[in-house]
Amino acid sequence: MNAAKTLLPIAASLLLSGLLVGTAATAADAPKVVVSIKPIHSLVAAVMQGVGTPDLIVDGAASPHTYALKPSNARSLQEAKLVFWVGPGMDAFLQKPLAALGSNATIVELDDAPGITKLKFREGGAFEPHDDGDEHEVSDDHAHGHDHDHGEFDTHLWLDPHNAKAMVSEITTSLVAADPVNALTYQANQKALNDKLDALDTEIALTLAPVKDKPFIVFHDAYQYFEHRYGVRVSGSITVSPETIPGAQRVAEIHSKVADLGATCVFAEPQFEPKLVNVVLEGTSAKSGTLDPEAATLPQGPDLYFDLMRGIASSLKTCLSAQG
């Protein structure tokens, strides 16, 4: 009897050890996942919660528009089982490294995710008011128009929660294929994330309702998806892409647009020199604000996407409400 009593705690200890070893093995078996930029990393991290944490390439306040790959990034790519990127339009710096270093990984280009809406780039600094027809959309075959640094379509796809949901679906499908042991966790996380994205969509629409008819100017043309989803009025951008310095004619065009609009807002971005914004504001009654479409100022993680979208909505409402 005493021997039996002695064996019980030993058996319990062995069982617990086995469970802990099993848990450690599961964590160790989580696939190595690498993601290009913060907004996409946030969505991948949310789907992977409870399984593992993806690596991020463009960290901190860096911008994918001007990023140079680090040796640590190259090592992550060499070790990766899955790599998520927007595509060559947004993440051009990754094209050659992926070809050279990502041969052992499954590479998932999210601008090709089923259900993604794509919008063409706009020409010129001042934009005409958009309508909600289909002429702005491009197919997965891509439209053939003017050359842009980002390709034929605007690649800031995540700024519409409907596009984010399409990406989440593709992310989940890819993770399940790479790691079927954790399929149920990925699928449960997808459902919870989709519910949160739907709630966010409703929240932002309500936040912007009082100011959605007020025009404003942005630093670069990154906000079409946000604009179309919520009906806000982007009237022009200082530059098409941050790595392209606008010419004097474009800056003059935007300055005239601001003057014609009267009181409005001109929005800078945290990664880029604000001098051009100050030139556009000079001699006008417009106010300035900051928008952060690539989450330069936000800490990485599963909540970042929601903080990013709420931050844009809040900045717009604050500046545009002050215009009366």
Side-chain angles (χ1 to χ4, degrees), residues 259-277:
D260 291 343
L261 290 171
T264 188
C265 292
V266 179
F267 290 94
E269 292 179 20
Q271 310 102 305
F272 303 109
E273 178 59 52
K275 285 182 181 177
L276 287 172
V277 173

Side-chain angles (χ1 to χ4, degrees), residues 113-172:
I116 285 278
T117 295
K118 296 177 183 178
L119 301 173
K120 296 177 185 178
F121 271 103
R122 293 179 281 206
E123 299 296 330
F127 307 141
E128 295 302 317
H130 73 79
D131 59 42
D132 294 318
D134 293 334
E135 73 275 8
H136 293 280
E137 296 186 14
V138 297
S139 70
D140 286 340
D141 294 326
H142 302 178
H144 295 286
H146 297 276
D147 289 334
H148 291 280
D149 291 315
H150 290 322
E152 293 91 8
F153 64 93
D154 185 343
T155 53
H156 298 82
L157 301 158
W158 62 88
L159 292 178
D160 179 346
H162 289 218
N163 276 351
K165 288 178 71 173
M167 291 182 181
V168 166
S169 178
E170 185 74 356
I171 289 164
T172 304

Side-chain angles (χ1 to χ4, degrees), residues 15 63 66 117 160 169 187 199 211 238 249 258 284 297 304 316-317:
L15 177 61
S63 167
T66 55
T117 295
D160 179 346
S169 178
Q187 289 162 348
V211 297
I238 296 172
Q249 182 178 345
V258 171
T284 75
T297 60
L304 174 143
L316 289 173
K317 183 176 182 181

Side-chain angles (χ1 to χ4, degrees), residues 42-57:
S42 178
L43 298 175
V44 176
V47 177
M48 290 187 69
Q49 280 189 308
V51 177
T53 303
D55 288 357
L56 172 64
I57 293 181

Side-chain angles (χ1 to χ4, degrees), residues 249-307:
Q249 182 178 345
R250 186 180 182 103
V251 173
E253 180 186 7
I254 291 297
H255 187 275
S256 296
K257 184 75 172 180
V258 171
D260 291 343
L261 290 171
T264 188
C265 292
V266 179
F267 290 94
E269 292 179 20
Q271 310 102 305
F272 303 109
E273 178 59 52
K275 285 182 181 177
L276 287 172
V277 173
N278 294 334
V279 170
V280 168
L281 287 169
E282 188 176 354
T284 75
S285 58
K287 295 186 180 297
S288 63
T290 302
L291 300 176
D292 190 8
E294 291 153 14
T297 60
L298 298 175
Q300 64 174 274
D303 294 328
L304 174 143
Y305 180 82
F306 297 88
D307 295 338

